[in-house]
Amino acid sequence: GAGVSQSPSNKVTEKGKDVELRCDPISGHTALYWYRQSLGQGLEFLIYFQGNSAPDKSGLPSDRFSAERTGGSVSTLTIQRTQQEDSAVYLCASSPQGQSIQPQHFGDGTRLSIL
Amino acid sequence: DAKTTQPPSMDCAEGRAANLPCNHSTISGNEYVYWYRQIHSQGPQYIIHGLKNNETNEMASLIITEDRKSSTLILPHATLRDTAVYYCIVTEYDMRFGAGTRLTVKP
């Protein structure tokens, strides 16, 4: 079956521009997560959506970062006024429920490069 | 603060068992032990998870000590395609990844 899909796979933009990254989770998965991975580093948690509950935004690094999840399915991560330190791979994951017994399934990420 | 400690790198001969250790001395009763791996340029791939008991699936075995303060991931017959970064995570829901162990399987 279809896995987690992220688009675009690569994005190059100029410093100061806004970018939107899209995540299509696995159908029926109610939990959705965004992570960031800088070159050679581990994953950094950004935000977590579970059903209709208020999202856990505790990992967002600044107010330039925001995310939405419409209709409990597709999610968009928006970065405003991009900076060079925002360059990283942005990974999305989904799971059937936001409980530890359910493993997360990851997409292959969006590689964001800020010039 | 890191919840897990893993060696930064390990080597393993092809066809031999790879045993990857993880220390998680501050694990709480509700937290599971998860293992993922990440092959270059791909998203992390789920391997196995457990709470208290040892677990086995088609990919690997997970051995958790009785006090739950450490665990070992076992790849019984490592192949070259198992070369990857392996992450051990203790969690209730969100996956806080550390630096992991870079496993290199050598012919």
Side-chain angles (χ1 to χ4, degrees):
Chain A
V4 176
S5 176
Q6 292 188 246
S7 60
S9 55
N10 287 282
K11 177 72 175 179
V12 180
T13 193
E14 294 180 346
K15 176 182 172 180
K17 300 287 188 182
D18 296 352
V19 295
E20 284 190 354
L21 312 179
R22 177 187 170 103
C23 173
D24 285 90
I26 293 172
S27 178
H29 282 192
T30 61
L32 187 146
Y33 310 76
W34 283 98
Y35 298 86
R36 176 170 71 174
Q37 187 172 32
S38 300
L39 186 63
Q41 303 297 311
L43 273 68
E44 174 188 4
F45 167 77
L46 297 177
I47 189 168
Y48 158 60
F49 295 90
Q50 170 54 43
N52 295 322
S53 303
D56 177 355
K57 303 180 181 180
S58 61
L60 294 179
S62 77
D63 58 8
R64 296 187 296 105
F65 287 73
S66 63
E68 291 184 345
R69 189 177 185 195
T70 55
S73 180
V74 172
S75 177
T76 302
L77 178 68
T78 301
I79 308 173
Q80 296 178 311
R81 305 181 301 282
T82 53
Q83 303 295 314
Q84 288 186 333
E85 60 263 28
D86 299 334
S87 295
V89 176
Y90 289 81
L91 290 156
C92 175
S94 70
S95 69
Q97 297 176 21
Q99 297 176 7
S100 58
I101 197 169
Q102 303 288 350
Q104 294 180 18
H105 301 268
F106 285 80
D108 284 335
T110 293
R111 184 174 300 276
L112 178 63
S113 300
I114 309 300
L115 303 178
Chain B
D1 292 336
K3 287 188 172 183
T4 64
T5 304
Q6 298 179 254
S9 63
M10 292 181 64
D11 291 342
C12 178
E14 187 179 18
R16 304 297 291 269
N19 297 284
L20 291 92
C22 181
N23 288 323
H24 31 80
S25 59
T26 61
I27 190 171
S28 69
N30 297 328
E31 291 181 315
Y32 284 73
V33 180
Y34 268 83
W35 283 84
Y36 282 78
R37 71 181 182 184
Q38 189 172 26
I39 297 170
H40 183 61
S41 298
Q42 298 181 19
Q45 177 189 22
Y46 166 77
I47 301 173
I48 198 167
H49 75 284
L51 183 63
K52 297 180 181 178
N53 299 322
N54 299 336
E55 303 288 344
T56 296
N57 63 20
E58 65 277 6
M59 290 183 68
S61 294
L62 173 61
I63 308 298
I64 303 174
T65 58
E66 189 171 348
D67 63 8
R68 302 211 320 128
K69 293 186 176 182
S70 66
S71 61
T72 301
L73 179 74
I74 301 172
L75 307 178
H77 305 287
T79 70
L80 299 179
R81 288 178 293 181
D82 291 324
T83 292
V85 178
Y86 287 77
Y87 297 99
C88 168
I89 302 150
V90 294
T91 182
E92 289 191 61
Y93 63 91
D94 65 339
M95 299 291 171
R96 312 267 174 159
F97 286 65
T101 296
R102 182 172 299 277
L103 175 68
T104 303
V105 180
K106 298 185 175 182

